[in-house]
Amino acid sequence: MRVILAQPRGFCAGVVRAIEIVERALEKYGPPVYVRHEIVHNRHVVESLKAKGAHFVEELSEVPAGAVTVFSAHGVAKAVVNDASQRGLPVLDATCPLVTKVHNQGKRYVAQGRTLVLIGHAGHPEVEGTMGQIPAPVHLVQTEAEIDKLPIPVDAPVAYVTQTTLSVDDTRGIIASLQQRFTNIIGPDIKDICYATQNRQTAVRELSRLVDVILVVGAMNSSNSNRLREIGTEAGVPSYLIADGSELNPEWVRDARVVGITAGASAPEVLVEDVIERLQQLGPVEVETLPGRQETMEFRLPVELNQPRVPLPATS
Ligand code: SF4
């Protein structure tokens, strides 16, 4: 069996930064460090940080007074920031800078007097965080069909922003429909979909031309991983989202000559290796990697982690 690995795949700069924030906080302040929500959507990552002393909670009310608290890469609503501030919690903010950029863009549009539409998936923590950062009502749109139901006059000044991990193709369709409906609308086109999401989608599209089956390594609740599986399926290649090698069903690859593997932005490479090892248990495997785009993006850590004597702020 030939195995072709997509390039790029796996960790993005925002995920690397978020994990490093928790690890550095544990080293610097000592355990426990409290993390609101899964730092990134991957059980393996969460379990390894738990083993080092991180405590994961869903609500700030679960964080004891004075405990070092980390906000996840997905971002949080302003109410959460204010709550942490009122409680005097020392906070490190692991919100991806590309998510913060969307928050700021949305705030600017609202300050210009525009009604804001957010293209995204209901219930995703990034969407909840973005909606909660904008000091005005935000209209969430998930599909083109929902646009006609928006309670906004067609000639009102409107702007849109998007979740960072959407399907490029689906989002283009939704933006085109918004532009058809509203006569005075502005927005970033698909530029809010982050570089890592776009690069991984391009790579899986290339992969789909070469393989019989696609295995996407990632978590069920990872938005960008789900989009990779959808793109493979839309290209006509059976595509499966699996957390690791233990979830691989041998039936999926029984008749495959070439298996493609990619990984979502929150999946570590060790899990890709785990899937390859599982395939090797089924028969001889030759592994190659597509010559895709090399990523060089890096995000700086919060200043408090680089300067030993700077106390943590109550909010960030
Ligand atoms: S997927 Fe994109 S927006 Fe999300 S953490 Fe990674 S770089 Fe940031």
Side-chain angles (χ1 to χ4, degrees):
M1 179 191 295
R2 270 175 78 208
V3 170
I4 303 183
L5 305 179
Q7 173 66 35
R9 63 181 181 280
F11 277 4
C12 61
V15 163
V16 169
R17 174 178 180 269
I19 294 169
E20 202 172 343
I21 286 174
V22 180
E23 286 179 337
R24 295 268 199 110
L26 284 163
E27 280 165 26
K28 185 166 175 184
Y29 305 105
V33 163
Y34 284 77
V35 184
R36 187 185 177 277
H37 194 67
E38 290 185 328
I39 184 75
V40 299
H41 283 156
N42 190 274
R43 199 182 60 220
H44 178 91
V45 171
V46 167
E47 291 302 325
S48 71
L49 291 173
K50 266 190 198 170
K52 293 176 184 171
H55 286 213
F56 289 85
V57 297
E58 282 308 310
E59 300 301 335
L60 275 192
S61 56
E62 299 167 59
V63 178
V68 173
T69 305
V70 180
F71 294 154
S72 81
H74 312 97
V76 294
K78 191 74 183 147
V80 176
V81 177
N82 292 343
D83 189 13
S85 173
Q86 275 163 12
R87 291 192 53 204
L89 292 175
V91 167
L92 288 162
D93 190 355
T95 303
C96 177
L98 300 182
V99 173
T100 304
K101 188 179 123 213
V102 176
H103 296 170
N104 293 337
Q105 197 174 33
K107 287 176 196 170
R108 274 197 304 275
Y109 287 143
V110 163
Q112 290 166 8
R114 293 185 175 270
T115 301
L116 194 67
V117 173
L118 169 62
I119 306 170
H121 296 291
H124 190 279
E126 181 185 323
V127 164
E128 288 176 357
T130 301
M131 293 181 84
Q133 281 283 341
I134 309 296
V138 179
H139 300 268
L140 180 64
V141 163
Q142 303 184 80
T143 62
E144 287 181 49
E146 291 173 6
I147 292 172
D148 283 345
K149 296 183 203 133
L150 286 172
I152 309 172
V154 292
D155 57 352
V158 175
Y160 66 86
V161 290
T162 86
Q163 192 178 337
T164 56
T165 50
L166 299 178
S167 149
V168 167
D169 292 340
D170 293 353
T171 307
R172 278 211 178 95
I174 294 174
I175 291 170
S177 298
L178 281 170
Q179 287 168 335
Q180 262 181 357
R181 178 167 172 88
F182 297 106
T183 54
N184 179 2
I185 184 166
I186 58 172
D189 192 47
I190 57 157
K191 290 192 199 81
D192 281 349
I193 300 178
C194 79
Y195 81 97
T197 299
Q198 297 205 29
N199 288 349
R200 280 150 193 71
Q201 291 183 8
T202 301
V204 84
R205 236 174 251 117
E206 282 169 23
L207 191 68
S208 68
R209 289 198 276 271
L210 306 170
V211 301
D212 304 309
V213 177
I214 292 176
L215 304 173
V216 179
V217 184
M220 281 297 166
N221 59 347
S222 159
S223 173
N224 77 87
S225 303
N226 277 289
R227 303 296 80 78
L228 295 176
R229 182 187 51 75
E230 285 168 10
I231 288 169
T233 305
E234 282 160 18
V237 180
S239 302
Y240 304 95
L241 178 59
I242 53 176
D244 54 32
S246 71
E247 294 190 355
L248 172 66
N249 181 343
E251 283 301 306
W252 298 338
V253 295
R254 196 159 55 105
D255 299 323
R257 285 179 306 108
V258 191
V259 175
I261 302 180
T262 186
S266 43
E269 185 65 10
V270 66
L271 298 180
V272 172
E273 288 161 10
D274 187 59
V275 172
I276 295 171
E277 277 170 29
R278 178 75 184 110
L279 289 170
Q280 283 166 334
Q281 289 166 7
L282 303 175
V285 163
E286 270 174 46
V287 182
E288 60 196 276
T289 302
L290 281 184
R293 184 186 288 254
Q294 296 296 326
E295 293 178 338
T296 53
M297 184 78 81
E298 278 181 29
F299 296 131
R300 262 186 254 151
L301 293 176
V303 67
E304 302 87 357
L305 290 174
N306 287 323
Q307 298 181 0
R309 289 190 185 76
V310 176
L312 280 183
T315 58
S316 54

